[in-house]
Amino acid sequence: MGNLFDLVEIQGPAGGQEKRLRVGIRVTIGDQENLCALTPPVDSVGKLTREITFLKQELDDLLERAELFFGEASRGTAAGLRPDMSAAEIWTLLSEMRDEETFVARFNDLKEEKRREVADYVFTTCNVFAGRASLFSARYNEESARME
């Protein structure tokens, strides 16, 4: 089996010198092989790097969800969360999670004392009207120290 991913060169208008690439995935059905685009066309390595980083994050999010599904996530450590981390460090990792289910589950996997520390940090230092802090403030239950 060859490489699953490949770069796809995009031809510009007739006679144009514009260089653009996309990341594609090789799909084989029967005896036909196609290269399906996974990213929009980009015209620089920097933009390609951002698109590949996005794809990596999507795959990491899927792995997180699979760990939850199989019950292999261990009290938050699968996301790099450790009990010895500060509330700010934990919040930084949590707020970078794009998948809402994983974000909530990882927070709720923390011990109650650490959840309360993180909540205090969010409510006293973050803008609760934007981003993950907004989601956190909407779903946080003060009594249980969990997100619902």
Side-chain angles (χ1 to χ4, degrees), residues 66-127:
E67 288 171 343
L68 288 171
F69 177 81
F70 289 115
E72 295 179 14
S74 57
R75 304 292 301 164
T77 57
L81 303 177
R82 297 183 321 274
D84 62 325
M85 295 174 106
S86 71
E89 292 171 318
I90 290 173
W91 178 249
T92 298
L93 289 175
L94 286 172
S95 63
E96 291 172 352
M97 295 177 183
R98 285 198 304 238
D99 182 68
E100 187 173 330
E101 290 176 43
T102 303
F103 169 72
V104 171
R106 289 295 180 251
F107 174 79
N108 289 339
D109 279 348
L110 296 169
K111 293 188 176 184
E112 182 178 355
E113 179 181 336
K114 196 52 86 168
R115 290 194 312 267
R116 291 191 185 281
E117 279 181 49
V118 172
D120 183 56
Y121 173 81
V122 171
F123 290 127
T124 59
T125 64
C126 299
N127 177 358

Side-chain angles (χ1 to χ4, degrees), residues 34-50:
N34 293 304
L35 198 56
C36 299
L38 292 175
T39 65
V42 296
D43 58 6
S44 70
V45 172
K47 290 177 183 175
L48 184 63
T49 299
R50 282 191 295 278

